[in-house]
Amino acid sequence: MPTFIRLQAGAPALAEDPFTAVGDDQTIPPGDVIISLSRFQTEGEGLLSEGRQVGVRLESHEDVEALAYDLPRIAVVALAFPKFGDGRAYTSARLLRERFHFKGEVRAVGDVLREQAGYMVRCGFDAFEPADGSTAQAWERATHRFRHVYQRASDGRPVAFEGRGG
Amino acid sequence: MYRYDQIDKDILADRSAEFRGQVARRLAGELSEDQFKPLRLRNGLYLQLHAYMLRVAIPYGSLNPTQLRKLAWIGRTYDKGYGHFTTRTNLQFHWIKLADAPEILDALASVDMHAIQTSGNCIRNVTADPYAGATAEEIDDPRVWAEAIRQWSTIHPEFNWLPRKFKIAVSAAAKDRTAAKTHDIGLNLKRARDGVLGFEVMVGGGLGRLPHIAPTVRPFLPAQRLFSYLEAILRVYNRHGRRDNIHKARIKILVAALGAEEFARQVEAEWEKIGTSADLPDTELARIRGAFAPTAFETLPAVSEAFEAAKARSPAFARFARNNLKPHKVAGYAIVEISLKAIGQTPGDATAEQMEVVADLAERFGQDDIRVTHEQNLVLPHVKLDDAPAVWAALAEAGLATANMNLVSDIIACPGLDYCALANARSISVAQNIAAKFADAERAERVGELKIKISGCINACGHHHVGHIGILGVDKKGEEFYQLTLGGSAAEDAGVGQALGPALPYERVAEAVDTLVDVYLRERQGAERFLDTFRRTGVAPFKEAVYADVH
Amino acid sequence: MKALTANRLIDGEVVFWRNGQWVEQFGDAQLFNDDDPAGEAAEAHGKNQPTVVVEPYLIDLTQSQGLWAPVSYRERIRALGPTNLNHGKQADGGAAIEALQHAHGAARSTGRVDLIKRK
Ligand code: SF4
């Protein structure tokens, strides 16, 4: 079982993952699952009607816009980092939160390292599958590395210029 | 100079602490080199041929004396007593130890400096007109905008892992001293007819393997909408820029592939969705403007007797005044250019002692203000004409009074094969050989403006594509060869140079440049610069002369 | 003939392999015959020391005045220091450095893709 960290009341904590990630070539097990976009488009309706929770995994080249109308019934959007240097998922996460007001879980999967924790949290990720075996404590430290931020983002953190009082 | 507040200082301290931890984890084996490399690059640290190289950010090329002295101190303490100013107006130290890097970042932070995002696939150090605040030509002070961009781009949560590096320049006058059109984004400050301040936005310029001059995607963007527009551009790029091929990953390729019009349409569509929420409030822009230390100019006569007398007395000073002094917006003041291109020296290098001399002069005569230009020189932007002779004398004593601004020996050269792990051939010694041919200052002045730019490989850090004469080091069957191009320009008349002919061996380069200059002197009409003559005659006469003995 | 080189992790110094150790002078490097499997064994060993050196690789050598020197110009600059200033290893001087400085018969420039990274 890989490590799974979730923000709870804003703080990273080790959590049980109720979802099973299912590849396109695997049969779907019972319970809550995360499946690919293409699989969701063909099988999502049926799975949802069985009353289970469904998450969708988006590869970094897949547009979040493809999910726009399904978001209210999706529990998790898992955004893939094929390499930790591939930064497309940051934009996807911000769009999910800020443009589509997605309230479910936005999960970082793939090449997920603690060095990215701060960026991810700022862009609206709230669940992580670290590939570097990071503990929740390490994730917490990395998340709060910077006492101030210069930009508005999805986390609603006060921005430097707000504290400066003009 | 923008004065840091506690927030700005805390961010540097936090960044430094973060990197200290990353270095410790790398040394302990918890981070692999593949994982660590992008992290160290984002803190300016490269592994070069002989050691690590640390690239220190000099945001929009602006320094105060305390900072320059600290750079001198770092050079003496952790390097070999010097530093190298780059075409991105940064300073590189070439002999750094990984174990020392966290200490150096702390030392930099102590004077409000850093190395954040001076490398890596992120938004790099923003550059601006080095004459900001000193030239009468400027529409508005570009430093205010550049500092706001610096803050916005620092540790940006969404745009720190772009397909490729990303460079922004802010030009503020019709005369472009920033090479704006060779940037990923070039911003040119403008006023609309009704007086509203704004920017012409150019996107998709860049040198390297496939040089592009940036097309204008928006002729006028109201200044208060700058940040939402930048966010829209970066977002379109982050999503759609190519990540499958490092040579096609710059935004220039995306802009060229879509066409400037379609690219602009996508940006505008995104911009509309973003709305004004991403814009910086006017209050913050006003705060940044106010945080720049004020300059206080005296009321002086336009003509300085001391200055005129010194010129009459000393032909050397008169030459310096002719070439290195530029008009200031205030009567009785001048902008003083300090050449880091003394004949025989390494272009852009300054010793710790030279840095200290410049810091002292800025303190005594220059309102504590120093600038770095993308042409690898320094500037004292506010010097009284009365003081110019004293400044010159002190510069001359330190070997810094070479009167060759914009002349043939004012050569841009990247570090090349002497230092750079990516190089094909040397740049520095080629520059030295060429400069030696024009050591005669009188001849150099007769030749007039001539911009030679040399890169040691196709990455084009030496901007060779946009040199009036561009020189590119190539590797031909294991030997150092050089491809010459003519007719490029990085200024408002920007263009990519045209190949002269087959690459030349190392030994023939300086002599070929000499020949090119002779052809120009023969062909020129009236007050034509080398570039003008070349653009009129085309490559033929130049080519013929250089390859004459080969036929 | 070949030698194994790398940059040391902690300070970036150019180093050469000698019987299980990393030494700073090319003159002290262990030389391998082109077909000697010990060269590649040493390279593999170096690659297993990620906290000691970065990216070890074998370089080709050529004989010059009875001494061995790196074929590529880039490698000679690494072994000596830059040509614009008397910095780096060349500053220490000594017979081995001098021999390298005067080495003839080597290609002037890099050719590193073919010559150095060759497996
Ligand atoms: S142009 Fe090439 S050789 Fe020169 S500094 Fe850039 S990468 Fe190095």
Side-chain angles (χ1 to χ4, degrees):
Chain A
M1 211 48 195
T3 331
F4 180 58
I5 292 174
R6 197 153 51 194
L7 291 191
Q8 275 154 11
L14 218 55
E16 285 292 318
D17 183 2
F19 287 83
T20 311
V22 188
D24 280 354
D25 51 355
Q26 293 171 308
T27 49
I28 293 185
D32 302 339
V33 290
I34 296 177
I35 52 178
S36 71
L37 175 63
S38 59
R39 198 157 188 183
F40 177 77
Q41 284 163 342
T42 52
E43 298 172 49
E45 205 62 58
L47 292 168
L48 285 163
S49 68
E50 290 167 20
R52 36 174 153 190
Q53 303 249 61
V54 178
V56 178
R57 174 185 166 112
L58 285 186
E59 301 307 323
S60 62
H61 65 271
E62 291 174 329
D63 292 340
V64 285
E65 283 82 353
L67 278 178
Y69 301 107
D70 292 309
L71 285 173
R73 43 194 205 146
I74 294 174
V76 174
V77 178
L79 298 174
F81 288 81
K83 291 180 294 186
F84 76 101
D86 183 338
R88 285 175 281 194
Y90 297 103
T91 293
S92 301
R94 280 195 75 183
L95 292 177
L96 282 171
R97 295 297 190 206
E98 295 173 52
R99 189 155 299 163
F100 299 108
H101 308 290
F102 178 60
K103 295 286 186 294
E105 177 182 303
V106 178
R107 182 185 296 201
V109 300
D111 197 7
V112 175
L113 308 179
R114 146 186 4 165
E115 322 305 326
Q116 302 150 284
Y119 303 93
M120 288 177 170
V121 170
R122 294 228 61 214
C123 287
F125 287 92
D126 59 354
F128 315 89
E129 294 180 10
D132 60 356
S134 282
T135 61
Q137 288 74 17
W139 207 262
E140 163 91 29
R141 273 197 304 278
T143 306
H144 292 115
R145 172 63 71 194
F146 290 91
R147 286 167 282 175
H148 314 279
V149 294
Y150 281 128
Q151 313 82 1
R152 285 198 186 98
S154 306
D155 57 350
R157 252 181 101 169
V159 184
F161 58 72
E162 293 167 348
R164 285 164 162 163
Chain B
M1 249 343 262
Y2 171 79
R3 287 165 300 191
Y4 275 43
D5 69 2
Q6 197 55 45
I7 289 177
D8 298 312
K9 287 175 192 284
D10 287 350
I11 287 175
L12 297 196
D14 293 347
R15 175 66 163 213
S16 189
E18 177 187 47
F19 190 56
R20 187 178 287 274
Q22 289 164 342
V23 170
R25 286 166 56 219
R26 173 69 184 96
L27 293 175
E30 291 169 33
L31 284 172
S32 70
E33 184 63 17
D34 279 351
Q35 292 170 337
F36 180 61
K37 187 174 168 188
L39 306 174
R40 67 163 157 76
L41 289 178
R42 278 168 180 71
N43 289 285
L45 207 59
Y46 284 75
L47 182 50
Q48 295 287 38
L49 291 185
H50 315 289
Y52 288 89
M53 176 193 95
L54 180 67
R55 181 181 292 157
V56 178
I58 303 179
Y60 38 96
S62 186
L63 282 169
N64 66 31
T66 312
Q67 293 175 325
L68 190 51
R69 282 198 194 99
K70 184 61 85 177
L71 293 173
W73 178 83
I74 291 170
R76 214 175 262 133
T77 310
Y78 298 103
D79 201 277
K80 296 185 186 291
Y82 75 109
H84 174 77
F85 288 96
T86 75
T87 50
R88 193 109 211 103
T89 76
N90 291 316
L91 181 84
Q92 291 176 179
F93 292 114
H94 283 140
W95 297 92
I96 297 300
K97 297 179 167 67
L98 176 61
D100 289 337
E103 302 270 307
I104 301 174
L105 293 187
D106 283 345
L108 289 170
S110 74
V111 294
D112 303 338
M113 294 190 81
H114 61 80
I116 299 172
Q117 293 169 213
T118 52
S119 179
N121 297 332
C122 50
I123 303 171
R124 301 285 189 88
N125 185 36
V126 53
T127 51
D129 190 334
Y131 293 176
T135 172
E137 297 163 3
E138 86 188 5
I139 311 281
D140 185 40
D141 193 330
R143 291 172 301 170
V144 174
W145 300 98
E147 173 60 26
I149 294 170
R150 181 192 77 79
Q151 296 189 16
W152 167 80
S153 62
T154 296
I155 317 172
H156 195 289
E158 185 179 343
F159 304 133
N160 202 47
W161 304 93
L162 298 169
R164 200 74 178 87
K165 59 187 170 182
F166 203 91
K167 302 177 180 180
I168 303 177
V170 188
S171 161
K175 175 131 186 70
D176 177 14
R177 281 172 286 261
T178 66
K181 290 181 185 180
T182 66
H183 283 72
D184 296 283
I185 298 180
L187 297 169
N188 191 9
L189 274 159
K190 275 195 165 166
R191 270 194 200 283
R193 225 165 273 145
D194 57 2
V196 172
L197 190 65
F199 297 95
E200 175 185 356
V201 183
M202 297 162 277
V203 184
L207 302 175
R209 197 171 298 261
L210 299 159
H212 286 264
I213 300 300
T216 296
V217 300
R218 197 165 222 280
F220 188 81
L221 173 74
Q224 326 85 299
R225 301 301 314 280
L226 176 64
F227 287 92
S228 53
Y229 202 79
L230 289 180
E231 190 158 311
I233 295 171
L234 266 298
R235 185 169 284 163
V236 168
Y237 173 53
N238 193 40
R239 300 187 84 182
H240 304 301
R242 286 183 62 171
R243 291 178 188 262
D244 58 331
N245 179 343
I246 188 178
H247 301 304
K248 303 205 165 149
R250 294 283 294 270
I251 197 173
K252 62 189 178 187
I253 303 297
L254 178 65
V255 174
L258 293 174
E261 234 164 82
E262 170 58 16
F263 174 79
R265 195 196 58 73
Q266 294 192 10
V267 169
E268 300 271 327
E270 177 62 31
W271 188 45
E272 214 156 276
K273 289 183 190 143
I274 291 172
T276 56
S277 67
D279 287 314
L280 208 54
D282 288 344
T283 47
E284 174 64 1
L285 286 167
R287 187 198 67 80
I288 292 175
R289 198 178 286 276
F292 276 86
T295 33
F297 298 110
E298 293 170 33
T299 311
L300 298 169
V303 177
S304 153
E305 274 167 35
F307 176 69
E308 297 302 330
K311 277 200 295 189
R313 208 166 44 235
S314 158
F317 177 65
R319 184 186 304 283
F320 180 81
R322 249 191 335 269
N323 289 296
N324 294 35
L325 263 53
K326 307 289 162 182
H328 196 278
K329 65 180 179 185
V330 178
Y333 285 82
I335 298 169
V336 176
E337 292 257 16
I338 301 171
S339 169
L340 297 179
K341 316 290 178 64
I343 310 293
Q345 296 301 305
T346 302
D349 274 13
T351 64
E353 292 71 32
Q354 288 177 323
M355 291 184 217
E356 284 163 347
V357 167
V358 173
D360 289 347
L361 289 172
E363 215 161 57
R364 277 185 66 198
F365 301 113
Q367 304 223 21
D368 290 345
D369 209 339
I370 302 142
R371 307 288 169 76
V372 185
T373 75
H374 84 270
E375 295 183 319
Q376 301 178 288
N377 294 310
L378 300 178
V379 173
L380 296 176
H382 315 293
V383 174
K384 282 190 224 168
L385 284 174
D386 291 346
D387 295 332
V391 169
W392 170 73
L395 289 174
E397 203 164 307
L400 289 169
T402 312
N404 62 350
M405 297 313 308
N406 297 320
L407 300 183
V408 55
S409 53
D410 181 10
I411 299 170
I412 290 184
C414 78
L417 188 56
D418 286 307
Y419 298 91
C420 178
L422 303 170
N424 282 325
R426 285 173 295 164
S427 307
I428 295 168
S429 61
V430 173
Q432 289 169 326
N433 295 345
I434 295 169
K437 295 254 181 209
F438 297 93
D440 175 359
E442 230 152 276
R443 175 164 181 240
E445 256 187 293
R446 264 203 313 280
V447 174
E449 181 183 307
L450 208 180
K451 302 200 179 223
I452 300 180
K453 307 188 188 223
I454 310 175
S455 305
C457 81
I458 194 64
N459 284 328
C461 303
H463 298 177
H464 63 276
H465 297 109
V466 290
H468 298 175
I469 299 176
I471 302 176
L472 165 67
V474 293
D475 182 339
K476 222 169 153 181
K477 298 192 195 109
E479 310 239 344
E480 288 177 300
F481 268 72
Y482 297 85
Q483 178 74 60
L484 270 57
T485 51
L486 300 184
S489 168
E492 57 286 348
D493 55 358
V496 171
Q498 185 186 340
L500 177 69
L504 300 169
Y506 175 82
E507 295 76 16
R508 284 211 48 208
V509 177
E511 159 204 321
V513 170
D514 211 14
T515 306
L516 292 171
V517 169
D518 284 341
V519 174
Y520 154 65
L521 292 176
R522 189 187 75 209
E523 298 284 331
R524 88 166 151 197
Q525 297 177 356
E528 275 182 343
R529 301 170 300 163
F530 178 91
L531 181 63
D532 305 321
T533 302
F534 173 79
R535 286 183 173 178
R536 181 174 51 76
T537 65
V539 74
F542 295 93
K543 184 170 186 165
E544 204 166 293
V546 168
Y547 296 97
D549 49 339
V550 185
H551 296 311
Chain C
M1 217 48 111
K2 289 179 190 294
L4 180 64
T5 185
N7 288 79
R8 202 156 54 201
L9 174 67
I10 194 158
D11 56 4
E13 180 78 35
V14 174
V15 289
F16 301 92
W17 178 269
R18 180 191 182 83
N19 302 327
Q21 306 285 323
W22 293 101
V23 296
E24 294 188 9
Q25 293 295 341
F26 172 76
D28 297 332
Q30 183 178 354
L31 307 186
F32 303 100
N33 275 317
D34 285 351
D35 51 4
D36 183 355
E40 275 168 31
E43 185 183 11
H45 199 102
K47 289 203 158 123
N48 269 325
Q49 304 180 312
T51 59
V52 180
V53 290
V54 180
E55 234 193 284
Y57 56 94
L58 290 163
I59 56 172
D60 284 305
L61 310 179
T62 181
Q63 207 160 21
S64 161
Q65 301 174 337
L67 282 163
W68 291 94
V71 170
S72 94
Y73 198 62
R74 175 185 198 261
E75 288 307 324
R76 287 203 267 159
I77 286 179
R78 284 182 76 243
L80 288 168
T83 64
N84 67 320
L85 292 165
N86 188 31
H87 285 161
K89 299 178 189 300
Q90 62 198 345
D92 300 343
I97 291 283
E98 237 164 77
L100 204 50
Q101 277 167 335
H102 297 117
H104 288 293
R108 289 197 49 86
S109 189
T110 66
R112 67 187 180 285
V113 178
D114 299 321
L115 296 172
I116 297 168
K117 295 260 164 108
R118 192 169 67 195
K119 281 267 162 71

